């Protein structure tokens, strides 16, 4: 089987990422351990855990975030999801998912194109089979005049100021917002 370029990208990105805290560094090491042990760690079929990519979308002035009311989880979250065959990198996964789920064309990765945070959370994709999503989280900036539209995966979406976030928020969203703002 030929090497998976997405897997190689994940190893390179996570090996070179300077984690902002000891907890984030511990997560980074656990992601790398899974990647070393599982050649298929980038695929939804990998159990009990697999990597995913997401992006917190900010407006051009960086005053608001776009959050989506997840259809299955019933929580307000950033855009994100599973890696697909056409994704050449984790960043590409995050950007594709953010574009698909927001309906916004022309999103650009911020923060130098590097992850801003890692998050390990229960996987709602295959309850009882896949237990964990090891999410690599990026920052994306919407172009001026961007209009977001609800996708099939969400019940709703909206732009929110940092001090006026909706409820119920998904775990880790507040920390992701703080990490994204620090990356600006």
């Amino acid at each position: 089987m030929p090497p998976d370029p997405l897997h190689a990208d994940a190893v390179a990105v996570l090996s070179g990422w300077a984690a902002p805290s000891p907890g984030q560094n511990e997560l980074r090491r656990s992601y790398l351990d899974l990647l070393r042990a599982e050649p298929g760690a980038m695929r939804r079929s990998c159990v009990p855990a697999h990597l995913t990519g997401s992006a917190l979308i900010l407006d051009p002035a960086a005053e608001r975030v776009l959050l989506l009311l997840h259809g299955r989880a019933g929580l307000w979250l950033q855009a994100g999801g599973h890696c697909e065959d056409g994704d050449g990198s984790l960043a590409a996964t995050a950007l594709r998912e953010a574009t698909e789920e927001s309906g916004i064309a022309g999103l650009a990765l911020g923060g130098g194109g590097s992850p801003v945070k890692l998050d390990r959370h229960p996987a709602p994709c295959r309850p009882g089979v896949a237990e964990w999503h090891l999410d690599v989280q990026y920052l994306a900036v919407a172009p001026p005049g961007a209009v977001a539209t609800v996708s099939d995966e969400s019940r709703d979406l909206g732009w929110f100021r940092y001090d006026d976030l909706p409820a119920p928020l998904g775990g880790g969203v507040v920390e992701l917002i703080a990490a994204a703002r620090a990356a600006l």
Side-chain angles (χ1 to χ4, degrees), residues 4-80:
D4 179 0
L6 190 53
H7 187 280
D9 171 75
V11 170
V13 166
L14 293 168
S15 294
W17 186 60
S21 70
Q24 285 287 287
N25 196 46
E26 183 61 33
L27 274 177
R28 182 186 71 82
R29 285 197 305 261
S30 70
Y31 285 28
L32 286 167
D33 288 346
L34 177 66
L35 286 163
R36 279 190 280 277
E38 291 289 342
M42 304 305 296
R43 307 296 172 204
R44 177 190 305 237
S45 58
C46 186
V47 293
H50 47 265
L51 275 73
T52 57
S54 68
L56 180 70
I57 302 169
L58 279 82
D59 70 355
E63 295 174 348
R64 299 174 304 158
V65 296
L66 183 70
L67 297 176
L68 302 93
L69 184 58
H70 192 277
R72 241 188 226 167
L75 300 170
W76 289 93
L77 299 164
Q78 74 280 4

Side-chain angles (χ1 to χ4, degrees), residues 94-179:
L95 198 56
R96 177 186 50 74
E97 287 285 346
T99 301
E100 289 175 0
E101 293 182 11
S102 71
I104 299 174
L107 292 172
L109 288 182
S114 294
V116 295
K117 186 177 172 293
L118 304 178
D119 187 70
R120 179 180 183 260
H121 56 265
C125 60
R126 295 172 62 202
V129 178
E131 296 183 22
W132 299 106
H133 278 170
L134 305 183
D135 198 32
V136 180
Q137 301 176 329
Y138 291 83
L139 163 65
V141 180
V147 176
T149 57
V150 179
S151 76
D152 293 341
E153 296 181 39
S154 303
R155 295 184 206 162
D156 198 5
L157 55 70
W159 291 102
F160 300 95
R161 292 184 136 341
Y162 304 123
D163 61 354
D164 191 24
L165 298 172
L169 276 177
V173 171
V174 170
E175 294 84 359
L176 174 57
I177 291 170

